[in-house]
Amino acid sequence: MTAIVRHSHTRIAGRLLASLWLLPLLGGGFAAASDTALAPDVSAVRDRWAEVAYEVPKADRQAAYEALVKQAAAAREAHPGDVPALIWEGIVLSSYAGERGGIGALGLVKQARKDFEEALAAQPDALNGAAYTSLGALYYQVPGWPIGFGNDETARKLLNQGLAVNPDGIDSNYFYGDFLRDQHDYVGAAAALEKALAAPPRPGRELADRGRREQATAALAEVRSHLASR
């Protein structure tokens, strides 16, 4: 999710976090069961996240995420040690960073990384390995040293750990496919994206699933275009 020097500094104004607002990181059937155990305020953060990510107009999205950051922080503070609350705060912070972009986003993704690392230390398989996948996504999308902490080798390891927990999930496969596309491994990317599109639906996550499938479909079309041009 190739060495960190491969991340050019220009990515901070371009690709930097451009897709992190697309992080609905709960997968498959187990995740649906896990969702039922979410505290109501954490569940409200999850549901509002999907609305902001996929329904709020672009012009209003940054302000909506900023408000959701406060809501997610309140949910996390209300449930000390609650791993799903940590994960969802990290997802919201990452999403806000992706919408905001630029140098100011780096502080947000560093806080998100802290949330995901705390979640992994406490319960690595929580929400079907969501922290592995979301942290892996950060590592391949954030610039490397000296600007950020991005590292493709670390990203690959984390994304594979997420796949080990959730081998058939839409998000674990999507982000691995997106990472492989970034690495120009178009054969591997196509396989992962096809698997993402074949993932089982998540009850109660229809909006998130629809948005992710749209992204996977677009990414797969690009990958197939590269393969056809060889």
Side-chain angles (χ1 to χ4, degrees), residues 6-18:
R6 192 180 153 282
H7 294 273
S8 76
H9 297 179
T10 59
R11 292 183 73 181
I12 199 162
R15 167 138 188 183
L16 172 59
L17 311 178

Side-chain angles (χ1 to χ4, degrees), residues 65-89:
Y65 274 132
E66 187 173 3
L68 188 55
V69 165
K70 297 175 182 177
Q71 183 179 342
R76 188 252 308 150
E77 290 168 3
H79 303 283
D82 184 82
V83 173
L86 274 172
I87 291 172
W88 273 105
E89 182 183 50

Side-chain angles (χ1 to χ4, degrees), residues 43-123:
S43 180
V45 170
R46 177 204 65 191
D47 294 343
R48 178 58 180 162
W49 177 89
E51 293 171 356
V52 175
Y54 298 115
E55 294 186 331
V56 170
K58 172 68 174 176
D60 302 325
R61 200 175 294 142
Q62 183 171 331
Y65 274 132
E66 187 173 3
L68 188 55
V69 165
K70 297 175 182 177
Q71 183 179 342
R76 188 252 308 150
E77 290 168 3
H79 303 283
D82 184 82
V83 173
L86 274 172
I87 291 172
W88 273 105
E89 182 183 50
I91 290 171
V92 170
L93 287 165
S94 300
S95 301
Y96 179 39
E99 195 64 40
R100 179 175 174 177
I103 294 292
L106 286 175
L108 296 168
V109 295
K110 286 178 180 177
Q111 179 59 49
R113 178 181 62 174
K114 181 175 181 291
D115 283 346
F116 295 140
E117 288 174 344
E118 288 184 14
L120 289 172
Q123 189 182 353

Side-chain angles (χ1 to χ4, degrees), residues 21-197:
W21 62 275
L22 302 171
L23 285 170
L25 294 171
L26 307 174
F30 177 83
S34 299
D35 277 357
T36 63
L38 292 180
D41 48 353
V42 178
S43 180
V45 170
R46 177 204 65 191
D47 294 343
R48 178 58 180 162
W49 177 89
E51 293 171 356
V52 175
Y54 298 115
E55 294 186 331
V56 170
K58 172 68 174 176
D60 302 325
R61 200 175 294 142
Q62 183 171 331
Y65 274 132
E66 187 173 3
L68 188 55
V69 165
K70 297 175 182 177
Q71 183 179 342
R76 188 252 308 150
E77 290 168 3
H79 303 283
D82 184 82
V83 173
L86 274 172
I87 291 172
W88 273 105
E89 182 183 50
I91 290 171
V92 170
L93 287 165
S94 300
S95 301
Y96 179 39
E99 195 64 40
R100 179 175 174 177
I103 294 292
L106 286 175
L108 296 168
V109 295
K110 286 178 180 177
Q111 179 59 49
R113 178 181 62 174
K114 181 175 181 291
D115 283 346
F116 295 140
E117 288 174 344
E118 288 184 14
L120 289 172
Q123 189 182 353
D125 62 349
L127 301 183
N128 226 8
Y132 281 127
T133 300
S134 51
L135 185 56
L138 287 183
Y139 269 99
Y140 81 85
Q141 294 185 69
V142 171
W145 185 89
I147 293 177
F149 57 82
N151 185 311
D152 288 343
E153 292 180 3
T154 300
R156 186 185 295 274
K157 177 181 177 181
L158 288 163
L159 290 169
N160 276 302
Q161 287 173 303
L163 282 167
V165 177
N166 187 19
D168 299 316
I170 188 170
D171 293 304
S172 54
N173 281 285
Y174 170 78
F175 280 101
Y176 188 55
D178 189 56
F179 166 70
L180 294 177
R181 177 179 61 161
D182 192 54
Q183 301 291 300
H184 306 294
D185 177 0
Y186 298 120
V187 172
L193 292 166
E194 287 167 357
K195 194 167 184 180
L197 287 168

